[in-house]
Amino acid sequence: MHKMIGKFILFILFLSMISVPFAQTSAAVDKVYHVKIDEAVEKGLYAYLKRSFREAEDANAKAIILEINTNGGFTDAAGEIAKLMSETEPDIIAFINYKAISAGAYIALYADQIYMSPNGKIGAAQVIEGSGNAADDKAHSLWVAEMKSAAESHGRNPEFAIAMAEPSVDLEQYRAGPGKLLTLTASEAVSEEVGYSEGTVSSLDELLKLNGLQDAEIIATKVSFAEGIVRFITHPIVVPILLSIAGLGLVVELYSPGFGVPGTMAISSLMLFFFGHLIAGLAGYETLILFGIGVILIILELFLPGGIAGTLGAIAVVVSIILAGGNPMYMAYSVLIAIAVAVIGMVIIMKFFGKRLHLLNKMVLMDSTDTDSGYVSNVNRTELLGKKAKTITPLRPAGTIDMNGERIDVVSQGSYIDKGKHVIIVKVEGSRIVVRESEKKGENE
């Protein structure tokens, strides 16, 4: 009996000994998430970072390596990313692998640690408007304060962050010239006086080794298909292109018989625009509702006189597009670009394809039918000149009048005349009869 008990104890000890290495291995492996910022800073990037940081928190990651190589982007998106970084539990280590410019520098300053590659650069963070000009004093002052707060958030000297956004700060020994924005090289950032970098490393492996994470499991996050679409659609260059395609497509569709490729392109562009901004959290359902109301009003304009519904519809569509973006000023510039492209497209179409227009010929009188243009009428009813009549359909500008029980097709002199109005025939050119609305009291009697 004693021998059996002894053998059982030895067996238990054996199992314990062989299980210890596995338990130690499982416990010893730390997880490090590797996340890249290698394009423009926009709301699509924010969505990707938010998902990546949450995954790192759920996995109890030891650290997040944020590899940065960007020329910047939208300041509002950078502000959201900075807030996200402040709320994330794992340590965030910024690895500036070449450049962190403008909004990229702002994001890097919110990292717990900063490392730079030998040719890395950080700075040049002046805020620029969508027109390409420096922001006004109010926006500039706010951004300088934001840069100062970013540096102070992790105990860095705010003077250098301010100099990145304000060229008047006197730090000439680090500048390319007088009045220039500050951009620090890797050697300058790591210096004791500046202290904006914890070290200069040539690779991610070297950075991990310096932080005792060389044995950690590296988990590289990737942009999902949906996030990739969102980042592409919300890119500062792509937004005005999408809106221009939509505007030009609608103009071409007006001049084309039926519904075809131009209309499909326009609708697809608008759907992509709202989809990307909705997923990125920029647009809400209220903007979609406003856009839908605008479209309905524009359609109603085809059946209602006066032009009020069409005007309100156009305003609603434009406002919905501007509200769908995170930066109203930039979206306003994008809309202006789209309108300019649409107008230019309309001019080109009217100039080179004017005789082939479809819908426009139903709405606007394009040609004159006078004898100077080579037209000869079958019946020249000059006896109608000066006669009074009453409209039985609206004139837009074409329509029908009633004169002593006779229905006559006429056109107005250009202005809209509602149904039931008294008019006077002022010109007869063959079958083309021109009228104007009666204005004088005696004319309506």
Side-chain angles (χ1 to χ4, degrees), residues 227-378:
E227 290 168 344
I229 293 177
V230 171
R231 292 195 67 182
F232 177 78
I233 292 172
T234 57
H235 194 281
I237 297 176
V238 175
V239 168
I241 293 175
L242 274 178
L243 296 179
S244 297
I245 292 174
L248 188 58
L250 290 174
V251 168
V252 175
E253 186 60 40
L254 288 176
Y255 300 154
S256 305
F259 186 84
V261 175
T264 302
M265 291 176 59
I267 293 176
S268 299
S269 297
L270 289 173
M271 289 179 64
L272 281 172
F273 171 81
F274 279 104
F275 168 78
H277 288 74
L278 186 65
I279 297 300
L282 296 170
Y285 289 106
E286 67 278 1
T287 60
L288 294 178
I289 294 172
L290 182 61
F291 178 79
I293 292 173
V295 171
I296 292 173
L297 289 173
I298 292 173
I299 294 174
L300 288 176
E301 176 59 28
L302 299 176
F303 306 97
L304 299 175
I308 297 177
T311 302
L312 292 176
I315 293 174
V317 168
V318 170
V319 171
S320 68
I321 291 173
I322 292 175
L323 293 178
N327 189 324
M329 183 63 69
Y330 170 76
M331 291 306 304
Y333 283 121
S334 298
V335 170
L336 289 176
I337 292 173
I339 293 174
V341 170
V343 170
I344 293 172
M346 182 185 298
V347 172
I348 293 174
I349 292 172
M350 293 180 66
K351 183 176 179 62
F352 294 101
F353 305 101
K355 297 296 182 181
R356 304 175 187 175
L357 302 184
H358 175 62
L359 181 58
L360 192 65
N361 287 333
K362 297 182 178 180
M363 300 169 60
V364 181
L365 186 66
M366 299 296 294
D367 300 311
S368 62
T369 57
D370 53 21
T371 55
D372 294 335
S373 300
Y375 292 91
V376 178
S377 60
N378 293 327

Side-chain angles (χ1 to χ4, degrees), residues 94 96 108-116 122 150-161 164 171 174 182 184-200:
I96 301 176
L109 290 175
Y110 269 94
D112 298 291
Q113 299 181 62
I114 299 176
Y115 289 83
M116 300 175 68
I122 179 174
E152 291 175 339
S153 67
H154 287 84
R156 299 182 179 97
N157 187 344
E159 184 179 21
F160 296 96
M164 292 177 182
L171 289 175
Y174 295 105
L182 175 64
L184 296 170
T185 63
S187 59
E188 291 171 337
V190 79
S191 65
E192 185 176 348
E193 180 181 0
V194 178
Y196 268 39
S197 172
E198 274 66 40
T200 302

Side-chain angles (χ1 to χ4, degrees), residues 33-37 53 63-69 85 90-100 104-117 121-122 154 156 196-201 203-204 207-208 211:
Y33 273 68
H34 180 208
V35 185
K36 286 188 176 183
I37 299 178
F53 289 2
I64 298 173
I65 306 297
L66 195 61
E67 186 172 344
I68 302 175
N69 181 17
M85 294 171 67
D91 288 341
I92 298 177
I93 304 173
F95 175 32
I96 301 176
N97 193 5
Y98 187 35
K99 54 187 175 182
Y106 175 75
I107 292 172
L109 290 175
Y110 269 94
D112 298 291
Q113 299 181 62
I114 299 176
Y115 289 83
M116 300 175 68
S117 63
K121 299 172 184 64
I122 179 174
H154 287 84
R156 299 182 179 97
Y196 268 39
S197 172
E198 274 66 40
T200 302
V201 295
S203 66
L204 179 62
L207 186 154
L208 293 170
N211 286 271

